[in-house]
Amino acid sequence: MFDTVLIANRGEIARRVIRTARRLGLRCVAVYSEADSAAAHVAEADAAFCIGPAPAAESYLRAEAILEAARAAGAAAVHPGYGFLSENAAFAEACAGAGIVFVGPPAAAIRAMGSKSEAKALMEAAGVPLVPGYHGSAQEPEVLAAEARKVGYPLMIKASAGGGGKGMRVVRQAGEFAEALQAARREAMASFGDEHVLLERYLPSPRHIELQVFRDDHGNAVHLFERDCSSQRRHQKVVEEAPAPGLSEGLRAAMGEAALRAAVAIDYRGAGTVEFLVDGDDFYFMEMNTRLQVEHPVTEMITGYDLVEWQLRVAAGEPLPATQADISANGHAIEARLYAEDPASGFLPSTGELLHLAFPEGEEGIRVDSGVRAGDKVTVHYDPMIAKVIAWGEERAVALRRLRRALARTEIAGVVTNAGFLQAILGHTRFAAGVVDTAFIDQQREALLPDGAALPESALAAAALAEMTWRRRVAQAAAADSGDPHSPWQLTNGWRLNSETHRDFTFHYGEQSLAVRVIFGWEGLRLGLPGGEVSAAVAETEDGALALRLGDGSFVARVLRRGLRRWVLLEGQSFVLTLQDDIQGLGGEAGASGRVVAPMPGKVTAVLVQAGDTVSEGAPLLRLEAMKMEHTLTAPHDGPVEALNCAAGDLVEEGVELAVVGKA
Ligand code: MV4
């Protein structure tokens, strides 16, 4: 085994590889971009090398910089993780050229699977079933049209160099073929620089079932059963599980054998995945991924093996740790991928700082693989996956319940996530019944997408009570500082003033404006909510959450604040509210320094002053459109506008300094 391994990746998979390498006693070397200098994978490594600026093309994709780091660190092996350089044959070759072991298959095996047409020809020769179609080298439109007639309709045109659905076209009838061919070719050329296509009979709603295979240098080859990854959205996997529900033993065995034939045919080494389309009792080779996959934990949970350990052992020339007869599947595992993306706005990635991040720890049958910690930023530079939450159970229904509960106990503030979408998938009757195919998510869009429903009153109440609690704490601290023992803020028994008092808050949620009155009554707190008045109580828990009572119901929520935004975490969901306030009232940051910062990400719609103007306190400086509202940012005090760092039309991040007002 090697002494030192370099992990040519970041985030969740870099941490995952470090975990196993460390357990095996290896020294772990990380590489990182300038944006990742404070990332978890860097902190956890024994040594780390910066390999360039944030864009992946200038850092994680720079083979030369990574090999230089490997040489400098004395690494004997490079683990590429998934994505980035993991399926780059030239990188695998460059590692070999530098005398460093690439933890993955030989370059030739990567190349063999890189072209769909050539892969299909190899698989056909190896006796692996293919979707009937044409994958020849002749590409003249007349030849393809004649082949299309043989395949029959509906059919699919696929870019040979493609993957992930790019350059794919469904053709329903012969009359549409010529035009679809042109379009598919254009797309293939633009995406891959290669206009070669193949034709296949179209399967309207197949399942995506993939086999985990492993092969060593000693002629041993095994499979570790299948994963069902049919729950995909735009070719992005969302939920994966092992084993595939309802798959017959006959089909499972046949697919396992076919996957091994595929691995042997290309003289494969290490971990690989053979993807199949399954249609009833038929299965067809789709493609082979020559790397460890994101969803490998479900296989680990049902087999009990550590696949990263297997990868490292095989790369070091050791034989596979188990034979096919040793390997059995135990129970069921389901994985859900938590992404920083907003289902309500077409799944746009959501960037920002993770203000709070907590996963259920140490629960039976639960595993969480995450690449980030609270305080880290989700940026536009990398994949927005926050974590994989994986649950195991003796029975599928148990794994499913455990996963749903684990997601409900996951708390994420600072970015919008797909947690609600995941719960909707996992809670769908078809998912529970285990009859999901690749058309499921599209077909069930309506049922799975958030309906933009009203904010739960409990979330609004939590926001108001958190605000009250926070302001009281600030005021108490101020009173304590002032040393006035008679200040009402010194009272520790609540708010016993001479008469009932109240405090009004207005929050914005989407398009809605919601008023809440917190009433400090003789008999205790009451809340005036849109639905009426209700008695209330609030206490802080040890870990900073709020234990709340509303009428007869009790619940726990957590409220995080950033500028005027409030993240209310409740039952695994997060609600983003904006407190209506005069923005200069935010004071804190702006007040003393004269800095005027964006209280939330948004668009500057107007700049009302010029640098050098003299303004007085409260004078409007800029307008910012954010969270669907327009805010006026005002001068924190009298003085000259010393800096103006934005122009109308600019998109600004939260916390960015927009202007500075100097002292008069
Ligand atoms: C297909 C198909 C139906 N018939 N091929 C999509 C990604 C690419 N790697 C293969 N894909 C498909 N190929 C034939 N002949 C349907 C899909 C497909 C799909 C496959 C797996 C998982 C999700 C999918 C979603 C839409 C379409």
Side-chain angles (χ1 to χ4, degrees), residues 1 60 72 76 103 149 153 185 193 210 271 294 297 425 460 589 657:
M1 182 54 71
Y60 296 105
V103 182
R149 270 192 298 279
Y153 291 89
R185 281 200 154 146
E210 58 186 33
V294 178
I425 292 171
L460 181 61
E589 335 171 51
E657 180 185 283

Side-chain angles (χ1 to χ4, degrees), residues 111-128:
R111 287 211 174 91
M113 289 299 178
S115 153
K116 279 197 162 82
S117 303
E118 284 162 42
K120 282 190 83 171
L122 284 168
M123 294 301 107
E124 192 166 36
V128 179

Side-chain angles (χ1 to χ4, degrees), residues 116 131 156 158 163-165 168 200-204 206-208 229-230 232 235 275 277 286-287 438-439:
K116 279 197 162 82
V131 184
M156 217 167 184
K158 294 183 179 181
M168 238 168 53
E200 285 182 359
R201 202 179 81 210
Y202 174 64
L203 313 170
R207 293 171 74 183
H208 170 128
C229 309
S230 298
Q232 305 196 7
H235 308 294
E275 297 185 340
L277 293 174
M286 180 164 50
E287 53 193 68
T438 54

Side-chain angles (χ1 to χ4, degrees), residues 106 114-115 118 146 221 224 231 260 273 275 277 292 319 333 344 363 375 419 436 452 489 514 539 545 580 602 655 657:
S115 153
E118 284 162 42
L224 294 100
S231 298
L260 289 180
T273 296
E275 297 185 340
L277 293 174
L292 186 72
E363 303 247 342
V436 162
W489 303 105
L514 302 157
Q580 180 171 303
E657 180 185 283

